[in-house]
């Protein structure tokens, strides 16, 4: 048997999902500089729709627009009710 600290089933080398996803990381963050605010708002709308499509309970979405040299920086935090939704959201953006 391997010397793994995770709870493993020796027969099939499987791990309990709680070992990998323990609901401690429910936030997905996004940051990008756009040439104008309209493009940033368009991206915010698209990412908000994507987050809403995976949420089981309302996702808390906190956008921040900052004027920077060369455009507008958009920072967004998406706080989901569970880590699985956060992961689904992040994988859907790839």
């Amino acid at each position: 048997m391997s010397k793994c600290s995770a709870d493993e089933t020796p027969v099939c080398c499987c791990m309990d999902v709680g070992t990998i996803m323990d609901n401690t990381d429910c936030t997905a963050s996004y940051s990008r500089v756009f040439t104008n605010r309209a493009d940033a708002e368009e991206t915010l709308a698209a990412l908000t729709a994507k987050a809403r499509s995976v949420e089981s309970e309302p996702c808390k979405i906190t956008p921040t627009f900052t004027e920077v040299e060369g455009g507008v920086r958009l920072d967004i935090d998406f706080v989901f009710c569970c880590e699985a939704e956060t992961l689904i959201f992040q994988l859907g953006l790839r």
Side-chain angles (χ1 to χ4, degrees), residues 30-80:
Y30 176 88
S31 183
R32 182 174 161 200
V33 175
F34 294 86
T35 54
N36 58 63
R37 185 166 177 128
D39 289 345
E41 289 178 354
E42 185 177 316
T43 297
L44 172 60
L47 292 174
T48 297
K50 186 72 152 174
R52 298 288 181 229
S53 74
V54 301
E55 67 185 6
S56 61
E57 295 180 18
C59 173
K60 182 180 178 192
I61 302 171
T62 309
T64 305
F65 295 91
T66 308
E67 298 293 327
V68 295
E69 185 176 326
V72 176
R73 185 176 73 229
L74 171 61
D75 297 302
I76 317 168
D77 284 331
F78 299 88
V79 181
F80 292 90

